[in-house]
Amino acid sequence: MATLTRAQASALTNDEILRYSRHLIMPEVGMAGQQKLKAARVLCIGAGGLGSPLALYLAAAGVGTLGLVDFDVVDYTNLQRQIIHTTGDVGRPKLDSAAEKLTGINPFINVRKFETRLTSANALDFFRDFDIIADGTDNFPTRYLVNDACVLSGTPNVYASIFRFEGQASVFATENGPCYRCLYPEPPPPGLVPSCAEGGVLGILPGLLGVIQATEVIKLILGTGDPLIGRLLLVDALGMRFRELRLRKNADCPVCGATPTIRELIDYNEFCGIRGEEAPITTTVPEIQPVELKARLDAADDIFILDVREPHEYQICNIGGHLIPLGDLPARMNELDSSREIVAHCRSGVRSAKAVTLLRQAGFGKVKNLAGGILAWSDKVDPTLPKY
Amino acid sequence: MKVLIPTPLRQYTGRQSTVELEAGSVDEALCELTTRYPELRKQLFTAEGELRKFVNVYVNDEDIRYLERERTLVKPTDTISIIPSVAGGSVAARRGF
Ligand SMILES: [Zn+2]
């Protein structure tokens, strides 16, 4: 991997020898291994939940060049798991906050910041300067983009993803190993992604998976151990069980197979369904604004408030609505009176728009969606209501 | 035999993470599963009855695509895992609607 010039440039100074002494005295790393780490260039996609522990450990371990791609700003809800950022960083670009911590931990490394969204237009250019990509993204368009760009550029992709209290990790796009598309040729259509009500993540989980990613990155650089190539590691944090499934390189894989049909990067938002997963879903269901609803309730109009969130969300805050989680709605429509005016709401208005569609299809003619959900209610009507 | 239900699909199985059933093949197992939990059918199969491409099914640690697909035979001691692709991560959780 490292050319002669890069190997020479990676000779350690005395300060570095002291810093890395616990690596240097173990035969699996040693001086040669530490120099490989110093010569290595790793690009972390995302400085969030997975990227935080990943980048922190890679920096501490002495990975010489650490690239970060992110365009986000730190907010309060990040702090429960994105341990590279602190309370004082809220409002700052994640890249600035992360780079400061990384060089704080290890001033001997070179941190490269790419404050942009990774796109089909820039991915291959960015990847060219790196030996390993670590994918810590959270949406399908970027995941397929990273995968395809890794395959096309011949760069290994150390992958992890998390959901609530479960995670997956693997190493994709090595020379003879499978890629993400060998596992999943296509993403789910936007309508069928697991319901947002099921979202959320145990704060320590990205810690666990991000450290697994960091471990795999280090092993690939050192060329030691048994990397997660051709294996999908499944982590269940609640049961604290680790399982693994066998992954095979698919001869029919559209990008890494014998006769690939994808030979250059494509439009991944289009590939992943109309608007891409992150774009807000525009709804065409009838809506009512929070201020209007408040006025009508104050005027004692007969309006039935239907809350389609989950019970644990209702405990965080509620506006006194009748709770029927969206998933239960088809079976529990009999609790509703179709002659009454109904306003459905959720957290932000997405799930309740689905509820309105469902109810209208079932013959409920007087159903409206509370625009912007309970978040908008908190903004426009009752600021004492907590946002989450 | 055991069918392991992944977290995102547990909302369709009454929160069950494991479903015990009797089946001689993957086909029979999925059929029994979706009969018991009809809401799961749309998640696992297309309208044409094909397994969806973002849902992988494993018998023990092997992908059925490299066995006999849905015709793969199973023993009572086998475990079927359903592994859908999940986006999960920081942004999804933050924007979590
Ligand atoms: Zn492939």
Side-chain angles (χ1 to χ4, degrees), chain A residues 72 75 78 81-82 138 143 162 166 182-184 188 192 196 198 243 246 248 278 310 347 350-351, chain B residues 7-8 10 15 52 54 56 58 61-62 65-66 81 83-88 90-91 94-95 97:
Chain A
D72 219 347
D75 75 36
N78 298 151
R81 64 196 178 285
Q82 301 183 16
D138 39 38
R143 185 172 306 160
I162 47 175
E166 289 181 344
C182 294
L183 178 59
Y184 297 111
L192 272 173
C196 308
E198 293 284 320
R243 291 197 295 143
R246 192 120 65 99
R248 293 171 190 264
E278 283 187 60
E310 299 296 308
R347 191 183 80 106
V350 175
R351 276 173 282 166
Chain B
T7 320
R10 283 180 202 160
R15 312 275 166 202
R52 292 184 178 279
F54 61 91
N56 288 342
Y58 292 77
D61 71 344
E62 187 63 89
R65 289 183 296 168
Y66 301 104
S81 303
I83 312 286
S85 53
V86 290
S90 52
V91 176
R94 178 166 51 77
R95 294 194 182 146
F97 299 117

Side-chain angles (χ1 to χ4, degrees), chain A residues 236-274:
Chain A
D236 165 12
L238 279 193
M240 202 46 96
R241 286 195 182 85
F242 289 63
R243 291 197 295 143
E244 61 176 73
L245 301 173
R246 192 120 65 99
L247 300 185
R248 293 171 190 264
K249 193 175 173 79
N250 180 0
D252 300 326
C253 176
V255 66
C256 82
T259 49
T261 51
I262 297 163
R263 293 159 178 280
E264 57 186 29
L265 298 178
I266 58 174
D267 180 337
Y268 291 89
N269 282 324
E270 193 191 321
F271 172 66
C272 293
I274 12 139

Side-chain angles (χ1 to χ4, degrees), chain A residues 67-78:
Chain A
L68 299 172
V69 187
D70 204 304
F71 58 92
D72 219 347
V73 167
V74 182
D75 75 36
Y76 283 105
T77 70
N78 298 151

